[in-house]
């Protein structure tokens, strides 16, 4: 199997926009891979993507991409609302709605999360990362009226088995 990095990147961007950022459909309970988690999926041709997370105010999770049935890429993330906002469900919902708009700005140059900076109304989003889709780490923040209300770390990259059947 040959894995094309540009095709992987394009699929990751498309899947992210269709799943969480695009209010994608949840995986039915009978097909959830991790019981107790909420899962969103997107499939196109030989590619499959699944975003799986648990929680609300703090919601760690992972995104996995399969190509021809083999896992080829993964990102793990953890974080959420800052402590003073972890009981305010309406404010958290408003913040997550803004987060989805920021994440819908994912691009081929920044496929992991959102743009470096995105502002709308009283909200602003910032993302700091290093690496490429092959191996990366980062941290994103949301501020409301200049005060940090959300933060999350992420890490990920390619999955290469002990005896790779894929080439890059």
């Amino acid at each position: 199997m040959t894995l094309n990095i540009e095709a992987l990147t394009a699929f990751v961007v498309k899947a992210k926009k269709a799943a969480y950022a695009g209010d994608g459909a949840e995986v039915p309970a009978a097909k959830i891979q991790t019981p107790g988690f909420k899962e969103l999926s997107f499939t196109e041709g030989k590619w499959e993507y699944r975003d799986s997370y648990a929680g609300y105010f703090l919601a760690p999770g992972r995104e996995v991409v399969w190509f021809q049935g083999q896992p080829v890429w993964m990102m793990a993330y953890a974080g959420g609302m800052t402590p003073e906002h972890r009981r305010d469900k309406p404010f958290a919902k408003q913040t997550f709605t803004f987060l989805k708009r920021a994440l819908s700005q994912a691009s081929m140059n920044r496929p992991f999360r959102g743009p470096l900076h995105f502002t709308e109304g009283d909200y602003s989003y910032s993302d700091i990362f290093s690496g490429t889709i092959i191996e990366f780490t980062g941290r994103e923040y949301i501020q409301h009226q200049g005060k940090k209300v959300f933060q999350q770390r992420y890490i990920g990259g390619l999955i290469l088995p002990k005896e790779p059947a894929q080439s890059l």
Side-chain angles (χ1 to χ4, degrees):
M1 168 176 65
T2 300
L3 183 63
N4 179 301
I5 297 299
E6 188 172 312
L8 168 65
T9 304
F11 177 75
V12 167
V13 169
K14 192 175 208 179
K16 285 175 174 279
K17 290 180 180 185
Y20 182 76
D23 290 325
E26 288 184 43
V27 173
K31 294 187 177 192
I32 286 180
Q33 295 172 343
T34 310
F37 279 62
K38 180 176 180 178
E39 295 186 358
L40 304 167
S41 70
F42 178 77
T43 302
E44 183 177 76
K46 297 178 180 181
W47 296 95
E48 181 183 347
Y49 164 94
R50 190 165 294 213
D51 182 2
S52 178
Y53 63 95
Y56 187 74
F57 295 106
L58 292 175
R62 69 176 184 210
E63 299 174 18
V64 180
V65 171
W66 290 265
F67 180 68
Q68 297 178 340
Q70 298 297 312
V72 295
W73 183 87
M74 183 178 154
M75 180 181 80
Y77 54 87
M81 299 300 292
T82 56
E84 61 272 21
H85 299 287
R86 290 182 187 158
R87 295 189 183 275
D88 187 344
K89 192 171 179 180
F91 182 72
K93 182 177 171 101
Q94 185 179 10
T95 302
F96 298 149
T97 297
F98 171 76
L99 175 62
K100 288 177 181 185
R101 287 196 292 275
L103 297 180
S104 72
Q105 306 295 314
S107 68
M108 291 290 287
N109 294 335
R110 299 189 46 77
F112 323 115
R113 300 298 286 168
L116 284 173
H117 302 288
F118 176 72
T119 301
E120 187 176 89
D122 289 337
Y123 281 97
S124 64
Y125 171 92
S126 298
D127 182 45
I128 302 164
F129 82 97
S130 64
T132 68
I133 197 156
I134 294 170
E135 185 176 9
F136 59 90
T137 184
R139 178 176 265 197
E140 64 186 349
Y141 304 91
I142 294 177
Q143 292 186 336
H144 180 260
Q145 298 178 342
K147 184 176 181 202
K148 185 176 11 172
V149 298
F150 174 92
Q151 63 184 0
Q152 185 158 255
R153 292 177 188 235
Y154 58 90
I155 187 169
L158 291 181
I159 298 169
L160 296 176
K162 185 175 182 179
E163 296 187 27
Q166 64 193 31
S167 61
L168 304 177

